[in-house]
Amino acid sequence: MRVPLAWLSQYVDLAGLEVEELADRLTLAGLEVEKVERLGPYQGLVVAKLVSVSPHPKADRLWVCQLEVGAEELTVVSGAPNLAAGTLVPLALPGARLPGGEVQRVTLRGVPSQGMILSLADLGLEAKSTGIWTLPPGPQPGQDLAPLIEGPDTVLVLKITPNRPDLLGIYGVAREVAALFHLHLEELPVGFSEAGTPAAELVEVELEDPEDCPRYLARLWAGVPQQPSPLWLMSRLLKAGMRPLTLPVDVTNYVMLELGQPLHAFDWQRLPGRRIGVRRARPGERLRTLDGLERELSPEVLLITVDDRPVAVAGVMGGEETEVREDTTHILLEAACFSPARIRRSSRSLGLRTEASLRFERGLSPELAELASRRASALLASLAPVEIAPGAVDAYPRPSPARRITLRKARVSQVLGLAVEEAEVTRDLAALGVELTDQGEAWLAQPPPWRGDLEREIDLIEEVARLYGYDRIPARPPALPLRAGEKDPREAFCDRVRQILASLGLSEIYSLGLVGGEEAEVPLRNPMATGQEGLRASLLGGLLAAVRQNLEAQNPGVAIFEVGRTFHLRAGEVVEEDRAGVALAGRPPVPLSGKQDYTPAHLKGLLEGLLSALRVEGVSLGEVDAPWLHPHRRAGIYLTPEAPQQPARKLVGWLGELSPELGEKLPGERRVLMWELSLTELLTAVRPASYRPLPRHPLARRDLSLLAPQELPEERLRELILAEPLVESCFLYDLYQGPGIPPGQRSLTYEVTFRHPERTLASEEVEEAVARILAQLEALGVRLRS
């Protein structure tokens, strides 16, 4: 936001206030001054009239100009392409001082030049100019130019935070300055006379959705002259970063920069009807905007229509068909309030950002529309003869209720840590437009419409602190003892999983949680980029991207993991879930281990290592429908809850080899092994740590080689063996199928450990325990292998 001090001083008296002091105080109050630009010195500058322009006798691209400067006539050589006799131009006399240096009397190709005709760039009013600045009628030749352009001047470049759209207008900044320095704030003149047919008889307004457009106000101007703006208005626009055009357009831009409320002027006679509407675009609709581009409109775009025909993109840019031109005499002035989110979507959909959209996206008060409309009408009426239709067509179906906030007096001192006089609190808040009603121990505060950011008691206290001065608040150490925070159990569990997987030899990766719309269960309302339309439902995509990058770099082995958040849509609600994923490809980086690639045994071993370290029970493998995995090399990871009321297994993850279709898209011929596991579900099955003393009595071991049906799950055998009270552990160390084994059978060899907790076992007791186990197994068709 560019704030010329000459313009600012129209509303608040800055006499005696140094620029550095003003900039420092504004910055401390939250209006960061990024840069201070000084325009000038403008010494030796006058208004001159071009009497004649003739080609230079010895140069093709130079012109010899005769200029009238009061009673004197001067000769100046210029190379500007837009010189025209009879026009007024700014002239720097010899010895004049400009931002670029001092002007000298010179001779160019034999012709003496007694000064320099200036462009806007020469005056520091724009970065680059294509010709000299042609001044509007009014000034007299020989008149000093500096007072006419309010120079020399200083421009403050402010960084405005998104919650303060009121500061995107010069008058809003003036209000802050008045409050900070306890100065008087001048009121804006908004009075004007009306004549002709009432606006309500000429125009009507319809709002499709008041949420998109809370208020739309239309006012009519007739007999508008298409003349240049006065020099003071042009210079203010230029210093604020906006190029002057014609008087009516300049007036709307001036009021936007003054109040922060964008306005739009339509050529009333080119509107294809009298019924103005505000609605969203329909599929297939198009509009040529003021920049000359034909734009295809999406339903995200909010439109201004006339008799249902699009004429402008609401809050962003007008249409070329109804723009104000040189022959425009009748204008419909739009002053509206649009939904910030809707304007943001419109702007993003079209890839178009403007000064108007910037302000609407911050959120403007509906009450500001009427003030800006009246201010623009009053300003135009003061500059040119114009007929303003009585009244305005004001579509405001849901007027904003007044906000009221209770501000406790004791709370102000408690939060700030110092006692602030009540008179100082009321004075400062009143300077910001906050109305206070004393209710004894508290005030009832009513914030002004333009301060939408004041919603709570703490917001008002912050305003008191800003105006009191953060630098005046003493620094004090905390009165309460500091306590070390602790992580949420969920976060601590995820950290533990990371440590375990890293200790198993895996490298951690981090991938983006935003994915394409086809991969997401939860779409985003406002995606920031293509390919980031939703939130990931799996870690698979990020892991595969990392595998691809490693394989393309010819890494011989990839062993990575990720612990991250996934997002799911269940019963219409968004559910967040912590997950862990592992991917293996190539060969293990273990010396002297050969060149054998990772196998499913490695993958399953990593899963078992994690579950063992976490002390998780009730996990088993089973069938799963996972099309991204190989149809014959995949399994689901299931969790059996301990609670009896939940006997069914629950799918909590998957593991296996990547499907051939997906594997073909990766470089090389290496297969990729992966698993993914829900840590949110796994956390419920973690057993607390338990400790027991080392056994005092010796153990006894027996090896059991068993013949079991192939279709019988191995875990069933283990369950029966461990059910024997004297069995301490059971370890499967051999599995054989082949010659010597009957068809449909397989050999399973276990090392079974027996121990009694209170005494040494006799051999007879061990043999009896083995006999009991074999009897139980025989019922399942399992017998001892001979």
Side-chain angles (χ1 to χ4, degrees):
M1 177 67 187
R2 296 176 59 84
V3 181
L5 295 190
W7 189 352
L8 185 68
S9 62
Q10 179 185 351
Y11 315 120
V12 60
D13 187 5
L14 302 180
L17 192 60
E18 295 294 332
V19 175
E20 291 73 15
E21 181 185 1
L22 175 61
D24 290 344
R25 192 73 176 90
L26 287 174
T27 300
L28 286 173
L31 284 74
E32 181 181 351
V33 179
E34 294 186 301
K35 186 166 57 172
V36 177
E37 296 181 3
R38 299 185 185 274
L39 303 178
Y42 297 139
Q43 297 177 1
L45 307 186
V46 296
V47 177
K49 182 179 181 180
L50 270 171
V51 177
S52 66
V53 179
S54 59
H56 193 289
K58 296 182 181 180
D60 294 337
R61 298 184 180 181
L62 295 179
W63 302 88
V64 179
C65 306
Q66 299 298 322
L67 297 104
E68 177 188 339
V69 183
E72 187 179 5
E73 188 168 302
L74 303 177
T75 300
V76 174
V77 179
S78 175
N82 60 332
L83 296 165
T87 58
L88 296 177
V89 295
L91 177 66
L93 299 174
R97 297 177 61 193
L98 295 172
E102 185 174 329
V103 177
Q104 303 291 333
R105 188 189 302 267
V106 296
T107 299
L108 298 175
R109 298 288 182 92
V111 178
S113 182
Q114 299 172 288
M116 177 180 176
I117 303 177
L118 304 175
S119 67
L120 288 170
D122 295 327
L123 293 167
L125 297 178
E126 68 178 8
K128 185 177 181 180
S129 298
T130 57
I132 57 117
W133 183 18
T134 301
L135 301 178
Q140 298 299 314
Q143 190 173 354
D144 190 0
L145 180 66
L148 299 178
I149 61 173
E150 299 180 335
D153 200 357
T154 301
V155 177
L156 301 182
V157 182
L158 304 182
K159 182 178 180 180
I160 306 301
T161 55
N163 67 320
R164 293 297 304 274
D166 59 301
L167 297 179
L168 291 174
I170 306 292
Y171 195 75
V173 177
R175 185 185 295 111
E176 286 286 310
V177 172
L180 289 169
F181 293 96
H182 313 306
L183 301 174
H184 172 69
L185 179 68
E186 297 289 342
E187 292 188 4
L188 290 174
V190 294
F192 55 90
S193 59
E194 300 174 327
T197 306
E201 298 180 14
L202 301 173
V203 175
E204 59 183 81
V205 176
E206 294 181 359
L207 306 181
E208 180 183 69
D209 186 354
E211 293 294 330
D212 288 341
C213 179
R215 188 177 194 181
Y216 191 98
L217 189 144
R219 199 176 293 275
L220 300 176
W221 298 339
V224 180
Q226 289 297 324
Q227 64 187 44
S229 299
L231 198 51
W232 65 266
L233 194 151
M234 296 176 69
S235 67
R236 289 185 181 181
L237 291 178
L238 288 164
K239 293 173 187 177
M242 191 162 286
R243 193 173 183 86
L245 297 171
T246 62
L247 178 60
V249 176
D250 290 349
V251 165
T252 61
N253 288 335
Y254 183 91
V255 173
M256 178 185 70
L257 294 173
E258 183 178 53
L259 293 175
Q261 168 68 51
L263 302 170
H264 186 70
F266 293 97
D267 188 319
W268 183 8
Q269 294 175 318
R270 287 188 172 90
L271 294 178
R274 65 185 299 272
R275 180 169 50 86
I276 297 181
V278 184
R279 64 167 173 82
R280 298 188 194 180
R282 303 187 183 111
E285 286 189 305
R286 304 179 71 87
L287 176 68
R288 182 178 293 276
T289 48
L290 286 174
D291 54 6
L293 298 180
E294 183 82 16
R295 299 183 183 274
E296 184 175 351
L297 308 174
S298 73
E300 292 287 344
V301 177
L302 190 65
L303 293 178
I304 306 298
T305 64
V306 175
D307 287 353
D308 209 40
R309 178 178 170 182
V311 294
V313 180
V316 181
M317 184 176 286
E320 186 179 74
E321 180 184 1
T322 58
E323 70 174 320
V324 175
R325 308 178 190 179
E326 293 181 356
D327 59 346
T328 299
T329 58
H330 290 63
I331 287 177
L332 184 145
L333 179 68
E334 168 193 285
C337 176
F338 301 111
S339 162
R342 180 52 51 199
I343 298 303
R344 193 175 299 114
R345 294 190 183 102
S346 295
S347 178
R348 186 180 297 120
S349 173
L350 297 173
L352 186 62
R353 294 293 300 276
T354 62
E355 288 286 340
S357 67
L358 168 69
R359 286 163 170 80
F360 281 122
E361 287 178 15
R362 303 292 182 93
L364 299 178
S365 167
E367 310 302 324
L368 190 58
E370 182 179 11
L371 174 62
S373 178
R374 295 187 62 84
R375 171 59 178 155
S377 299
L379 180 60
L380 181 63
S382 69
L383 298 175
V386 62
E387 182 179 289
I388 302 174
V393 182
D394 189 0
Y396 195 10
R398 303 173 186 171
S400 301
R403 290 168 292 145
R404 288 180 171 80
I405 305 169
T406 298
L407 176 60
R408 293 166 290 175
K409 298 177 180 179
R411 184 62 176 163
V412 175
S413 300
Q414 181 183 5
V415 172
L416 300 185
L418 53 84
V420 181
E421 296 292 335
E422 292 186 14
E424 189 171 357
V425 173
T426 56
R427 180 198 63 192
D428 289 345
L429 291 180
L432 297 176
V434 180
E435 297 181 8
L436 293 177
T437 303
D438 198 329
Q439 296 185 329
E441 296 184 355
W443 291 288
L444 184 63
Q446 182 176 326
W450 58 82
R451 289 299 302 272
D453 59 312
L454 302 182
E455 299 178 340
R456 303 170 299 165
E457 181 184 46
I458 194 66
D459 298 328
L460 296 174
I461 297 175
E462 182 182 5
E463 294 302 295
V464 173
R466 282 197 321 112
L467 299 182
Y468 181 83
Y470 293 128
D471 54 324
R472 294 174 57 195
I473 300 177
R476 295 176 182 172
L480 297 177
L482 297 178
R483 294 185 299 174
E486 61 181 29
K487 284 192 174 182
D488 182 83
R490 177 193 61 78
E491 294 180 357
F493 183 66
C494 289
D495 287 345
R496 188 178 172 199
V497 170
R498 290 187 179 96
Q499 293 171 356
I500 294 170
L501 292 177
S503 68
L504 291 172
L506 302 175
S507 298
E508 186 175 8
I509 70 161
Y510 292 89
S511 61
L512 190 63
L514 299 175
V515 295
E518 69 282 354
E519 302 179 44
E521 294 181 18
V522 181
L524 296 178
R525 292 182 179 177
N526 300 305
M528 299 297 291
T530 303
Q532 298 180 4
E533 294 87 2
L535 299 173
R536 65 183 177 186
S538 171
L539 305 178
L540 175 66
L543 289 168
L544 281 182
V547 169
R548 173 187 294 277
Q549 188 174 2
N550 278 270
L551 294 181
E552 289 175 346
Q554 300 182 339
N555 190 340
V558 181
I560 57 176
F561 78 92
E562 181 174 12
V563 175
R565 187 72 60 87
T566 59
F567 304 85
H568 311 270
L569 198 61
R570 295 171 184 165
E573 297 291 333
V574 177
V575 177
E576 299 183 18
E577 192 171 75
D578 293 309
R579 291 197 176 189
V582 166
L584 304 176
R587 66 171 185 258
V590 180
L592 302 178
S593 62
K595 292 188 176 182
Q596 181 184 7
D597 283 353
Y598 284 109
T599 65
H602 289 103
L603 184 70
K604 185 181 177 186
L606 290 171
L607 177 62
E608 291 177 343
L610 173 65
L611 298 177
S612 175
L614 292 175
R615 298 185 300 277
V616 173
E617 293 183 345
V619 175
S620 59
L621 301 181
E623 295 184 359
V624 67
D625 181 17
W628 58 91
L629 297 177
H630 193 290
H632 305 301
R633 299 168 189 166
R634 67 188 183 194
I637 304 174
Y638 290 88
L639 178 64
T640 302
E642 295 183 359
Q645 64 271 22
Q646 297 178 345
R649 297 193 306 172
K650 187 173 186 179
L651 181 67
V652 296
W654 50 264
L655 85 165
E657 181 181 331
L658 196 66
S659 69
E661 293 79 8
L662 293 177
E664 290 175 356
K665 300 178 182 179
L666 297 173
E669 300 180 356
R670 299 168 182 165
R671 62 179 182 176
V672 180
L673 304 168
M674 307 181 71
W675 59 252
E676 185 173 315
L677 185 63
S678 170
L679 299 182
T680 302
E681 298 290 347
L682 202 65
L683 181 57
T684 63
V686 173
R687 290 187 295 111
S690 59
Y691 304 92
R692 60 184 178 182
L694 290 172
R696 299 172 55 192
H697 303 283
L699 56 80
R701 290 194 177 96
R702 298 289 186 274
D703 287 353
L704 297 180
S705 292
L706 306 172
L707 285 176
Q710 288 185 356
E711 66 275 6
L712 182 64
E714 183 274 334
E715 64 179 347
R716 183 69 180 130
L717 276 72
R718 199 165 357 103
E719 288 175 358
L720 284 179
I721 295 173
L722 292 173
E724 165 60 41
L726 294 180
V727 172
E728 183 179 77
S729 64
C730 173
F731 176 64
L732 174 67
Y733 68 88
D734 184 64
L735 169 64
Y736 175 70
Q737 291 175 261
I741 302 299
Q745 300 281 314
R746 58 179 176 174
S747 172
L748 300 153
T749 303
Y750 293 91
E751 180 188 75
V752 183
T753 302
F754 298 86
R755 192 195 307 264
H756 196 286
E758 297 179 355
R759 58 182 173 81
T760 301
L761 286 173
S763 298
E764 295 78 6
E765 292 178 293
V766 176
E767 298 303 327
E768 290 175 0
V770 170
R772 289 194 296 270
I773 292 172
L774 294 176
Q776 292 287 333
L777 293 173
E778 189 175 355
L780 299 177
V782 179
R783 59 187 175 85
L784 195 65
R785 180 182 172 187
S786 58

